[in-house]
Amino acid sequence: MADETRVDPDGARRMFRVLGEIGRDLDVALSGVHNIRSSVVEPWGNDEYGKPFAGQREENAKGTLEGVGFVVEGLIGLSEEGRGAIDEFEKLDDENSNNLGPDS
């Protein structure tokens, strides 16, 4: 166990806030892609080149979009949990400092 723990609460809060912003921005982009794909019947084209390409790539594209959705959830969740952890760390640090006396 470490003898000391140092945390920059303001820096950590900024980092977790930015992670949440990235997650929300990525979610907006992902929604845009889903909207485009739902309005375009055959996004790969319906010609002799598009149909085979769709057969080769469509499942990968769906998997990628699903994976990006998990990343969005992870970034937003990490942002929320991280900020909560920093708040808890500061609360505990304040409580501990209040319990220190001259003989501690």
Side-chain angles (χ1 to χ4, degrees):
M1 186 166 159
D3 293 335
E4 266 183 64
T5 300
R6 294 179 188 260
V7 173
D8 174 8
D10 294 332
R13 273 197 191 88
R14 276 191 305 276
M15 178 194 67
F16 288 123
R17 179 183 47 78
V18 168
L19 287 174
E21 290 170 1
I22 292 168
R24 287 185 289 280
D25 288 348
L26 187 55
D27 193 35
V28 168
L30 180 62
S31 293
V33 172
H34 281 298
N35 288 337
I36 291 168
R37 286 179 57 87
S38 68
S39 65
V40 177
V41 179
E42 295 178 289
W44 307 109
N46 61 3
D47 59 8
E48 64 181 292
Y49 302 106
K51 288 185 185 245
F53 190 84
Q56 297 169 355
R57 301 290 182 227
E58 182 61 21
E59 288 306 310
N60 289 342
K62 288 178 182 177
T64 298
L65 294 175
E66 183 180 14
V68 171
F70 292 137
V71 170
V72 166
E73 290 175 17
L75 286 170
I76 292 172
L78 178 60
S79 174
E80 293 168 358
E81 293 296 323
R83 286 179 288 148
I86 293 300
D87 291 344
E88 186 64 29
F89 177 82
E90 281 190 319
K91 178 182 170 189
L92 182 61
D93 191 49
D94 286 344
E95 290 172 2
N96 287 339
S97 69
N98 290 333
N99 292 329
L100 292 176
D103 296 329
S104 298

